[in-house]
Amino acid sequence: MKKRPIGAICTFLWCLSTGVLSGQALHPDLQYAEAELILKKADGFKGIWYMNQPSNDEYVYKYSGGLAVYPANHRPFAIYSKEVNKTFFCFGGTDDANTTLLHNVSYFDHKTGKLANPVILLDKKTIDAHDNPVISIDDQGYIWIFSTSHGVSRPSYIHKSKKPFDIADFETIKATEIVNGKEVPFNNFSYFQVYPIKGKGFIALFTKYNAAGHRVIGFNTTRDGVRWNEWKVLAHIQDGHYQISAESNGKVGVAFDYHPKGKGLNFRTNLHYLETSDFGETWQNIQGEQAQLPLSDANNLAVVHDYASEKRNCYLLDITFDPQLKPAILVIPSKGYEAGPANNPREWTVYRWKKNKWAHHVVTTSDSNYDMGSVYVESGKVLKVIGPTVDGPQAYNPGGEVAMWLSKDGGASWKKEKQMTQNSAMNHSYVRKPVDARPDFYGIWADGHGRKPSESNLYFTNSKGQVYKLPRHSSEPMITPELLNVNNQE
């Protein structure tokens, strides 16, 4: 099997740190493979099914299901363009037998209410949904797809549409970055989060794995998407981090946790926040105090909540900005990483900066650490959370039935406005908010069986909570979605 020497060493170390090495066999998630450029029309919407870490109990896996728009640390999957009145999106697709990960690109036409039959951009030659793509649109309207990798075992890729606002054809970008003062190929990045800043280029937050298997979080910038500058570390506290981020009017905010030393990557705790308004030149906490990067101490100026002292994990779901460019952060704390009721309560918690301090309020509870959804700030007072907060057919596995929660007092109190799916055969999971989401295409997600491999369907919702299913098979160039027949849909 083909390997790169450095990649093989880092992969082995990462295997040891994550516990996925069994005997002498290399876990499929860690096998090296170069992607194949496909560039052909799909025949409908088929999401990737993926599992991570068998648990040897009734829940079967640590997490699993339809993960076409997973993980929370990839963003964005969808972005609205007012120039053409379309929401462009990408997702992790597959074939009929779920044998490989296909990077698919499509769009929703707000004028017609139809969706483009996806273009299959790449065959990533893995079934690891950590390799899912993300999307961006530059100042000239060109569509960019960033194909991530899970660690160092496979290459990453960048593609750019050959025409503005057109998904029919893409060119491969041979990007470079500066490492130790030298220009080298920019072909490995994990958990990519990318934002175009008008007149400046792209700023991207992403993870690099070091030789110890730590997830080190940082960022890079580029004017043209081709030549990237030097990656700069935001934080490396103990054994590394996950991060999520958002951008609005040139401000980028990032929320992150950390892995306590020596406990393994299933443990993640604390909540931190930093922001930049000058394209990454300086980073501050919520009070404007400048951070000296990289942060390396768990006791630092970015701490929002100390979950470590409470002996609780913290799972990052979403972050967005309010009209005053203050963040709203959505997390789930729990007692541990294992599936099942022993680690309840799993509280969907929203953090906001109020009266010169961080305030947090519980939206609801659900039954899995991986019940991921999105937070929407519709005005200074009106907030919504959309996610799989109602128990689904595979209880305590990721996802469930999707519901919409509403707050009219800035997030202090919440009520369930609508249950959007019901009587489902499989769990719905990972509701993702498009950048500049329009009311008629307000969130996108997939379903899948929580305890065994299955087909995975894609769905989207409007701001009223009406849900549409995307057909798995269609030969039409523009596809009409199916409105779900749910009793409480109007």
Side-chain angles (χ1 to χ4, degrees), residues 107-120:
Y107 62 82
F108 176 79
D109 188 330
H110 293 264
K111 183 178 180 180
T112 65
K114 295 184 177 184
L115 300 104
N117 209 330
V119 170
I120 302 173

Side-chain angles (χ1 to χ4, degrees), residues 58-89:
E58 64 183 293
Y59 311 110
V60 187
Y61 308 112
K62 182 178 72 173
Y63 66 85
S64 58
L67 300 179
V69 287
Y70 157 96
N73 326 80
H74 285 198
R75 49 189 61 213
F77 281 98
I79 182 168
Y80 173 71
S81 171
K82 65 180 180 181
E83 288 85 354
V84 291
N85 198 25
K86 295 175 180 177
T87 295
F88 292 89
F89 63 95

Side-chain angles (χ1 to χ4, degrees), residues 397-419:
N397 289 91
E401 302 286 11
V402 178
M404 179 183 290
W405 294 81
L406 175 67
S407 174
K408 294 183 178 180
D409 56 10
S413 62
W414 294 83
K415 69 172 184 178
K416 185 167 67 175
E417 187 174 33
K418 178 177 287 190
Q419 182 169 329

